[in-house]
Amino acid sequence: MAYKIEKAEMIAENIFEFWINAPHVAKNARAGQFLVIRINDKGERIPLTVSGVDGDLVRIVFMKVGKTTMFLSTLGEGDFIEDVAGPLGHPSEIKDWGRCVVIGGGVGIACLPILAKALKESGNEITGIIGARNKSLLLLKDELASHCDELVVCTDDGSFGYHGFPVDILKKKLEEGVVDCVWIIGPAIMMKITSLATVPYNVRTFVSLNPIMVDGTGMCGSCRVTIDGETKFACVDGPEFEAASVDWNELMTRQRTYTEEELKARELFEDHTCECGGH
């Protein structure tokens, strides 16, 4: 069974949104969970967080950075993806926390609307804080704003909103004493640095880890991470963990394991695409 892409759009610079017809996923998907997709029977499996659900459709958002995401970006409305497995992983811990702050950096912003919506429906007051290098990389801010009581947009270069980083805004909120729980989703270094701000205030802080992952079912062990000194698997034990428990240095080292191979695969794909369109 293949899965039809019903809607496809580039929503920011090199960042794409696909709505895929996958009723079994859409019916059960919750905030914080992810999918594993495989474009064709020769493709690699890649994990992508559930970004939204609408009827039988489930949304994924990805940035064109490596061979597989480059190939994925060549697909469009009406094309098919061979495999869509999910929803996988534990959903976010949704309950009435009180005053929640949801923070997204880069493509991680795509994970926030479904999370903010679920938290809002559980009675929480929501502050959204999103950050990107510049205006062209911002995504889904209007949709996220519709689920938040307040949304602060940050850019590194000051081209839109606050000139600075989400952690700057988070620190102000923490100093004001208006934060009961925090989610941070984005690049590992951003999650590490931003989550350090909540430590002195003893505020529960969740992060969504994105290690190398293959099968998404706990069989291969590729996504192992160290949490409170114990080995966990992000696919079946996570992907969300409490930030203060994460061995960040190990995570970031493991994320760089195949950097050279990924660059080579991308170069080969680009050379091949020039001649035959990647097929």
Side-chain angles (χ1 to χ4, degrees), residues 53-276:
V53 173
D54 183 7
D56 289 340
L57 308 184
V58 62
R59 179 172 64 191
I60 58 171
V61 174
F62 61 94
M63 174 176 271
K64 185 173 67 172
V65 290
K67 173 191 171 185
T68 298
T69 50
M70 289 182 72
F71 185 15
L72 193 60
S73 71
T74 67
L75 303 183
E77 189 173 311
D79 289 329
F80 288 84
I81 293 172
E82 184 74 19
D83 297 316
V84 176
L88 300 169
H90 292 288
S92 304
E93 188 174 340
I94 303 297
K95 65 178 185 179
D96 187 359
W97 292 93
R99 296 161 297 186
C100 297
V101 176
V102 296
I103 302 173
V107 184
I109 296 169
C111 308
L112 297 187
I114 189 172
L115 172 63
K117 181 175 186 289
L119 288 168
K120 188 68 178 175
E121 290 174 349
S122 292
N124 294 283
E125 180 181 320
I126 311 298
T127 295
I129 307 172
I130 59 175
R133 291 199 306 275
N134 56 60
K135 181 180 178 180
S136 71
L137 293 170
L138 291 170
L139 56 143
L140 303 180
K141 62 181 176 61
D142 292 337
E143 180 180 336
L144 178 58
S146 70
H147 302 303
C148 294
D149 297 279
E150 176 189 19
L151 177 66
V152 182
V153 180
C154 309
T155 50
D156 297 2
D157 64 357
S159 55
F160 190 92
Y162 173 77
H163 186 179
F165 304 101
V167 68
D168 302 334
I169 307 301
L170 176 61
K171 287 178 177 177
K172 292 179 183 178
K173 297 292 182 184
L174 291 164
E175 289 169 0
E176 293 168 3
V178 294
V179 182
D180 296 310
C181 192
V182 176
W183 271 263
I184 307 168
I185 305 176
I189 187 63
M190 173 264 187
M191 292 192 288
K192 174 186 178 182
I193 298 301
T194 308
S195 64
L196 289 175
T198 67
V199 173
Y201 298 90
N202 197 30
V203 171
R204 294 283 298 275
T205 304
F206 297 99
V207 291
S208 182
L209 302 188
N210 54 346
I212 293 169
M213 190 178 292
V214 179
D215 62 44
T217 62
M219 297 290 288
C220 72
S222 299
C223 66
R224 64 182 182 274
V225 292
T226 299
I227 306 296
D228 272 336
E230 297 184 3
T231 296
K232 300 288 184 181
F233 299 106
C235 62
V236 293
D237 298 315
E240 292 187 357
F241 297 96
E242 296 218 27
S245 302
V246 177
D247 184 334
W248 291 104
N249 291 336
E250 179 194 64
L251 172 69
M252 289 186 281
T253 298
R254 285 183 56 78
Q255 285 179 323
R256 295 191 292 269
T257 301
Y258 299 109
T259 300
E260 289 186 17
E261 289 81 0
E262 289 168 352
L263 288 173
K264 185 64 176 176
R266 173 174 176 148
E267 289 172 0
L268 291 172
F269 178 79
E270 289 176 320
D271 290 343
H272 185 62
T273 303
C274 290
E275 297 178 358
C276 66

